[in-house]
Amino acid sequence: MIVSGEWLRDYVTLTMDMEQLAERLTMVGLEVEAVEKPYAYLQTVVVGRITAVEAHPKADKLKICRVHDGHQERRVVCGAPNVAEGQRVPLALPGTVLPSGMPIQEATIRGQVSQGMLCSQKELQLGEDASGIWILPQETPIGLSLADALDLDDVRLDVAITPNRGDCLSMVGMAREAAAICGTSVRYPVIDVKETGPRIETLASVTVEDPVGCPRYAARLIEGVTIGASPQWMQRRLESAGIRSINNIVDVTNYVLLELGQPLHAFDFDRLRERRIVVRRAVAGEKFVTLDGVERTLFDDTLLICDGQGPVAIAGIMGGLESEITASTTRVLIESAYFQPECIRRSSRKLGLRTESSYRFERGVDPEGVLRAADRAAQLMQELSGGSIAQGRLDVYPTPVPRPRIRLRVSKVNRFLGMNLSAHQMVDVLRSLHMDVESVDAETFEVIPPSFRPDVTREVDLAEEVARLIGYDKVPVTHAQVPLYSDPVDPHAQTRGELKRVLEAAGYHEVLTFSFTSEKALRSLRLVEDDVRLQPVRLRNPLSEEQAVMRTSLLPGLLQTARLNLDRGNTDVRIFELSKVFLARQGELLPREDHHLVGVVVGRRDPRPVYGAEDPVDYTDVKGVVEEVLAALHLDESQYRLTRDALPPYGDPRYGATLEVKGRGVGSLGRIHPDVQEAFDLKREAYYFELDFEALFALRNPHPGFVPLPKFPSVVRDMALVVEAKLPVADPLAFIRSLPEPLMESVSIFDLYRGKPLADHQKGVGYRIVYRAADRNLTDEEVNAVHERVTAQVLERFQATLR
């Protein structure tokens, strides 16, 4: 919004200059983006009087003028044909830069010194006349700057108006804000309509078929107008806002739009068929040619202004080519209406058509200002173009727009703003903004905002109005007193995070798969029919069959991810997921949501060609990472069972095991069954581990805490056994660990052998036992005695022999 200081002073008395007003406007929420002095160049253009005119000795078309500038006489070479002695003319002194960008300096023209330039209206951009120099009235004081002589010492503000402040898109709207800032009052334009024509009802009619899109439509009629140019003062004011002057009728509609903020439209009444107005919605696909000559295809939600036979304007946006004002127009129908903001905003966006009218309508104009704007336009048209105004107005307003009644509590506003304002201060501010304020009690008021402020609907809006007029800089800076505390750490989530870091350190990548899957994927795991995992929770409205049920296992998602990687050339895959599975519960509406930890590995053991070989991963790779998981949970009491019946059907019984911790089954690991591998279209062997995180979490041991480094050395003894080939090597290992020998610190497997000279049903296993005492050095005799005792118990328990 461009605000002219000279125009603004017509409506309000300012107690500060425009630069100070710009600062205050910004502080009340109307940001001033620029302060401009459009006629600053006129300060060095003065009123001069031609005292003599002489012929140029070397140019027939040039003259040498002697011009008095109020202080001295200057010689000016001029080629204008209308110069004459005694004229008062605009003289551009050296140092002036004209609007065209041309600098004026003392120069020599055809051998004669020229000490300035005599200017035409067009050269000063103060008119269109370029035929000669501008002859000023004889009473114009000599030596006065042209800006002062023509009262053009104007300052303009470029104000950014927020979408909720449509009331400020006018000079009167800005005057209201300025008056509230300066503590003065607004001088509204004096409207005096002289109605001398017949009753308007006998000449025209208005029908509103869509009162939702058009709650109010008013019209005035003026006859006998003469189309011509607008006076200079109106042209100048329109141009100050960036609007080009067209003719006296159209200029009045634009002038009232800028003055009062109410968009208007002027129809050539004689070109309205059946002499009536109908407001209706367009028919989808309907065509209409707008004022800019473009044929537009309308939508079924586009609001139209029609005559008795067809559309003549797109409501609130642009008029039609067939009803525009022309030089032959003698009768004008003035439209002034209130359109629903949402309707105009939607149509403007769909049609890709933005105008000054739509810009205001879509932000909301004053429904109670419709008649005032129509009267103001009729008054100005009569003054500028003659004619007679028909008696009365057409005003269709079936359901007046209500004004809210808002309760204001002084204590609530002070608490909201962090201030300590009195009720009197708040009431003064609100009344300065034209709000009706009635007292309920000493601390409570009922406020009715004016009709031009549709953005004020709540108590908090009133608080904002109080704050911005009192001054945001008066709001004290305070700091919220918020006690800082943290929620206790969720051990379940913390443990999940620790295991994820363990797996990432082992070279695995975490993936997140969909919680939805397909029944086909679950059945591809070779599960038996009565398995609870084949009874998933079904979605009522699935996106597709591939995501029709809640997952009961993480394995299908990881196998599909592995296949996706293999298909794209990533042949070395190590992935895991620690997420929920959803297992249905008999008689329960909601499933059980347990966390499982599943990993899949495919490809080479070490994919780095520099350091690795081509050895593929096998069972020991997944067993190793499972041992890392158990170590992170401080679970030493684990056993791997090779019982084929206990292995899940998607595991290959030749390369797999189940895992028990403290006697409780917690998962399985091994190679994916060939049938499952084929079902998921995996081109390479895949190994997996699947752990019940909930069970592991329940069985986890606390951190053992700090153990000081041993002060005394250890003694190592090996035990090489020959046992039955079918005996799990973990059984003797667990048995040795369970023996109550205080000197035994640890035991591990160091060798596994099959072949000659052992029989086919035998194998050799080597166990390494570490002995240590915390308070002394052990002697060979002590260690030998303990080791012989341990060896004897192992041989007896497992019918083994020493190698």
Side-chain angles (χ1 to χ4, degrees), residues 538-707:
R538 303 180 185 279
L539 301 183
R540 290 184 177 178
N541 188 23
L543 296 175
S544 68
E545 286 300 318
E546 297 300 316
Q547 297 181 351
V549 298
M550 302 295 288
R551 66 186 178 195
T552 57
S553 172
L554 301 178
L555 191 57
L558 266 70
L559 293 177
Q560 290 167 348
T561 302
R563 183 193 63 203
L564 188 67
N565 278 268
L566 292 174
D567 290 346
R568 282 157 178 75
N570 181 19
T571 57
D572 301 299
V573 179
R574 289 174 184 261
I575 54 176
F576 78 93
E577 183 170 9
L578 203 172
S579 297
K580 289 181 180 180
V581 297
F582 305 88
L583 301 172
R585 293 184 289 191
Q586 189 69 28
E588 295 286 341
L589 179 63
L590 297 176
R592 191 173 78 249
E593 300 182 19
D594 293 341
H595 282 82
H596 283 192
L597 173 59
V598 179
V600 169
V601 56
V602 180
R604 293 172 293 179
R605 177 166 290 137
D606 191 339
R608 296 172 296 181
V610 175
Y611 304 106
E614 295 299 319
D615 296 339
V617 294
D618 57 22
Y619 170 80
T620 60
D621 291 277
V622 290
K623 183 174 183 289
V625 77
V626 169
E627 289 174 346
E628 291 291 334
V629 170
L630 296 177
L633 298 173
H634 314 294
L635 292 172
D636 297 327
E637 311 91 332
S638 60
Q639 284 188 314
Y640 298 87
R641 300 291 186 186
L642 302 179
T643 308
R644 293 192 175 189
D645 295 338
L647 199 67
Y650 43 81
D652 190 336
R654 298 171 296 174
Y655 306 96
T658 57
L659 176 63
E660 292 182 1
V661 175
K662 298 182 182 179
R664 177 179 174 181
V666 296
S668 63
L669 63 156
R671 193 171 76 176
I672 293 293
H673 196 284
D675 293 346
V676 177
Q677 179 180 323
E678 182 179 357
F680 283 92
D681 196 24
L682 292 172
K683 302 299 189 296
R684 304 185 66 173
E685 290 183 350
Y687 288 81
Y688 81 99
F689 62 86
E690 182 179 38
L691 303 176
D692 184 344
F693 176 80
E694 305 295 350
L696 291 174
F697 179 74
L699 295 171
R700 76 191 191 286
N701 291 323
H703 192 284
F706 174 73
V707 177

Side-chain angles (χ1 to χ4, degrees), residues 776-788:
R776 67 188 188 280
N777 287 326
L778 293 177
T779 64
D780 285 344
E781 291 77 9
E782 286 180 291
V783 173
N784 291 339
V786 175
H787 188 67
E788 288 174 2

Side-chain angles (χ1 to χ4, degrees), residues 5-285:
E6 176 259 334
W7 193 357
L8 184 66
R9 289 185 177 89
D10 285 357
Y11 313 108
V12 62
T13 299
L14 300 178
T15 59
M16 58 188 73
D17 60 33
M18 293 297 287
E19 287 78 5
Q20 291 173 318
L21 180 62
E23 183 178 350
R24 289 298 307 278
L25 285 171
T26 299
M27 292 305 298
V28 299
L30 300 171
E31 181 184 1
V32 177
E33 296 183 334
V35 179
E36 302 169 349
K37 295 184 177 180
Y39 300 112
Y41 64 93
L42 294 179
Q43 293 297 331
T44 54
V45 179
V46 300
V47 178
R49 182 171 64 85
I50 301 177
T51 58
V53 178
E54 305 170 1
H56 194 291
K58 296 183 179 180
D60 296 338
K61 294 184 178 181
L62 297 180
K63 297 181 179 63
I64 300 173
C65 302
R66 297 184 183 274
V67 185
H68 199 282
D69 64 4
H71 300 284
Q72 64 182 42
E73 193 172 79
R74 295 174 180 271
R75 289 169 55 87
V76 179
V77 177
C78 178
N82 61 335
V83 294
E85 184 179 336
Q87 292 175 338
R88 306 210 172 188
V89 295
L91 169 64
L93 300 176
T96 301
V97 178
L98 296 179
S100 63
M102 182 178 75
I104 304 300
Q105 300 293 342
E106 185 173 314
T108 301
I109 302 175
R110 303 291 292 272
Q112 298 294 318
V113 175
S114 181
Q115 298 174 306
M117 174 179 172
L118 304 183
C119 304
S120 67
Q121 285 185 349
K122 190 166 187 178
E123 287 169 330
L124 297 175
Q125 287 192 358
L126 296 176
E128 295 299 320
D129 187 5
S131 60
I133 60 170
W134 187 5
I135 310 301
L136 300 173
Q138 281 299 314
E139 64 272 14
T140 308
I142 298 173
L144 197 64
S145 73
L146 200 61
D148 294 335
L150 300 179
D151 196 20
L152 292 177
D153 189 16
D154 194 16
V155 178
R156 296 176 189 169
L157 307 181
D158 186 355
V159 186
I161 307 298
T162 54
N164 65 315
R165 293 303 307 273
D167 63 295
C168 290
L169 291 170
S170 66
M171 296 303 302
V172 168
M174 293 303 301
R176 285 192 289 256
E177 292 293 311
I181 291 171
C182 297
T184 56
S185 58
V186 179
R187 296 187 295 271
Y188 288 95
V190 178
I191 302 175
D192 182 17
V193 180
K194 296 179 175 60
E195 300 176 335
T196 58
R199 295 291 304 176
I200 191 172
E201 294 87 352
T202 65
L203 302 173
S205 66
V206 172
T207 302
V208 177
E209 296 181 358
D210 183 11
V212 175
C214 179
R216 188 172 197 178
Y217 191 99
R220 270 215 178 257
L221 182 63
I222 180 169
E223 300 179 295
V225 301
T226 301
I227 306 300
S230 299
Q232 283 295 321
W233 66 267
M234 179 172 281
Q235 291 186 34
R236 199 159 52 243
R237 287 190 170 179
L238 292 177
E239 289 167 2
S240 72
I243 296 179
R244 179 175 59 88
S245 174
I246 298 175
N247 57 53
N248 49 2
I249 298 299
V250 176
D251 287 357
V252 164
T253 62
N254 288 329
Y255 183 86
V256 174
L257 174 140
L258 294 173
E259 181 183 56
L260 301 178
Q262 171 65 50
L264 303 173
H265 189 71
F267 294 104
D268 185 331
F269 185 64
D270 291 318
R271 300 174 74 180
L272 295 179
R273 293 160 292 189
E274 301 180 15
R275 307 295 185 265
R276 64 192 183 100
I277 291 291
V278 178
V279 184
R280 64 170 174 84
R281 296 279 179 169
V283 177

Side-chain angles (χ1 to χ4, degrees), residues 513-560:
T513 61
F514 287 112
S515 297
F516 312 135
T517 187
S518 65
E519 286 191 79
K520 179 182 177 182
L522 294 175
R523 291 189 177 278
S524 297
L525 296 179
R526 302 177 68 246
L527 301 172
V528 296
E529 286 299 325
D530 60 349
D531 195 308
V532 68
R533 289 170 289 185
L534 286 183
Q535 300 170 12
V537 176
R538 303 180 185 279
L539 301 183
R540 290 184 177 178
N541 188 23
L543 296 175
S544 68
E545 286 300 318
E546 297 300 316
Q547 297 181 351
V549 298
M550 302 295 288
R551 66 186 178 195
T552 57
S553 172
L554 301 178
L555 191 57
L558 266 70
L559 293 177
Q560 290 167 348

